[in-house]
């Protein structure tokens, strides 16, 4: 069976493209399994410093594949639970990647496709892209992606968009924090290259630790994370990377990780 992904790695950057353009890169069991397997390799210390997640053709990801959905209709509760757990694990492992994940969104990002945007650290969208948590239109709901979406857009926006299941433009996605940059489609790649250049001049260990720090302190009182935050900065100041970076700054030279 042909792969549902194309993966190219160069200069420390993995470019992962959903490769089902004939169905607008919709999810099925194979895509979920292959994307999970790639993310697991990164978690197991594959030597990359950033990743870009994109969709081939006219759409980023239009949600669930119709053929996959037709099989779900006949699933038992146990089969549905197994299927849902596989998809939920995908979003969990992407959300926790130890490197920055940049989403490149054009066309439609619907249902699970909008969920993919939610687990990306930085999202660049074409100004004509369309988003939507459209599950309720089908009698279901965005349950598996809800923890990641609500962490990004908050409860107020989720109440509106989950309950109406309406589609919304990239400008609204930026307003609610699902998207960070909205640019003409012709500028998507240049914008992503600029962001990658910034990431690659930052220390990889510090970037990874900063990504992990965000959910660890989010929503908690400063006094509750006092020991965590102080120990974290002390550990990184005394690390090889921290020492190299601070010395490079003081001596006005490039740090070892800068291309």
């Amino acid at each position: 069976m042909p792969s549902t992904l194309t993966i190219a790695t160069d200069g420390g950057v993995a470019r992962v493209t959903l490769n089902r353009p004939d169905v607008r890169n919709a999810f099925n069991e194979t895509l979920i399994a292959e994307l999970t397997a790639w993310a697991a390799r990164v978690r197991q210390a594959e030597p990359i410093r950033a990743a870009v997640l994109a969709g081939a053709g006219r759409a980023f990801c239009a949600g669930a594949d119709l053929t996959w959905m037709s099989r779900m209709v006949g699933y038992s509760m146990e089969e549905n639970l197994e299927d849902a757990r596989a998809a939920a694990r995908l979003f969990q492992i992407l959300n926790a990647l130890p490197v920055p994940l940049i989403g490149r969104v054009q066309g439609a990002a619907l249902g699970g496709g909008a969920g993919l945007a939610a687990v990306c650290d930085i999202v660049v969208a074409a100004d004509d892209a369309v988003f939507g948590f459209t599950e309720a239109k089908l009698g279901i709901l965005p349950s598996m992606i809800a923890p990641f979406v609500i962490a990004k857009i908050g409860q107020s926006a989720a109440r509106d968009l989950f309950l109406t299941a309406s589609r919304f433009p990239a400008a609204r996605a930026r307003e609610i924090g699902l998207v960070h940059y909205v640019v003409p489609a012709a500028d998507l790649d240049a914008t992503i290259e600029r962001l990658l250049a910034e990431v690659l001049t930052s220390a990889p260990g510090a970037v990874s630790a900063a990504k992990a720090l965000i959910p660890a302190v989010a929503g908690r009182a400063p006094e509750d994370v006092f020991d965590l935050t102080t120990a974290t900065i002390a550990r990184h100041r005394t690390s090889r990377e921290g020492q190299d970076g601070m010395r490079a700054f003081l001596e006005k030279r490039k740090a070892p990780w800068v291309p």
Side-chain angles (χ1 to χ4, degrees):
M1 180 179 295
S3 174
T4 62
L5 303 176
T6 62
I7 303 170
T9 302
D10 182 59
V13 177
R15 300 175 192 271
V16 182
T17 304
L18 311 182
N19 191 34
R20 305 186 74 221
D22 53 324
V23 291
R24 298 195 298 167
N25 301 312
F27 284 105
N28 65 4
E29 302 99 316
T30 306
L31 189 151
I32 289 169
E34 291 188 349
L35 192 51
T36 301
W38 168 79
R41 291 196 298 272
V42 175
R43 290 276 303 199
Q44 293 161 8
E46 183 172 297
I48 64 169
R49 294 180 59 186
V52 177
L53 182 62
R58 296 182 300 169
F60 176 64
C61 177
D65 177 89
L66 292 176
T67 303
W68 182 36
M69 289 181 64
S70 69
R71 290 195 293 271
M72 289 180 201
V73 172
Y75 282 178
S76 66
M77 177 63 185
E78 291 74 19
E79 289 169 326
N80 264 295
L81 187 56
E82 182 180 355
D83 185 85
R85 283 173 170 165
R89 281 192 291 269
L90 168 63
F91 291 103
Q92 286 182 329
I93 195 168
L94 287 174
N95 189 65
L97 279 182
V99 299
L101 181 61
I102 300 175
R104 180 194 186 280
V105 179
Q106 85 287 2
L110 305 176
L116 285 178
V119 297
C120 289
D121 300 300
I122 307 168
V123 179
V124 183
D127 54 13
D128 58 355
V130 177
F131 296 78
F133 304 103
T134 52
E135 287 88 345
K137 302 292 188 192
L138 307 177
I140 54 177
L141 65 160
S143 180
M144 295 174 295
I145 63 175
F148 314 105
V149 174
I150 294 170
K152 269 281 181 71
I153 72 175
Q155 292 189 47
S156 179
R159 288 185 180 212
D160 173 14
L161 298 171
F162 283 16
L163 306 187
T164 63
S166 59
R167 301 185 183 205
F168 54 97
R172 176 82 193 281
R174 180 175 55 190
E175 289 172 2
I176 62 177
L178 183 62
V179 163
H180 302 91
Y181 302 91
V182 176
V183 300
D187 295 338
L188 278 172
D189 292 326
T191 303
I192 288 169
E193 293 308 311
R194 176 176 60 80
L195 292 166
L196 286 170
E198 291 288 352
V199 167
L200 294 177
T201 58
S202 299
V207 169
S208 181
K211 179 171 178 175
L213 183 67
I214 294 167
V217 304
R220 300 176 65 187
E223 58 269 23
D224 293 337
V225 294
F226 183 86
D227 290 341
L228 170 65
T229 56
T230 54
T232 298
I233 187 61
R235 184 168 60 253
H236 281 271
R237 284 175 180 168
T238 55
S239 70
R240 174 66 179 273
E241 189 180 75
Q243 291 283 301
D244 286 347
M246 290 188 291
R247 286 198 176 99
F249 176 78
L250 294 171
E251 295 167 9
K252 296 181 171 55
R253 56 178 173 81
K254 288 202 312 185
W257 54 79
V258 177

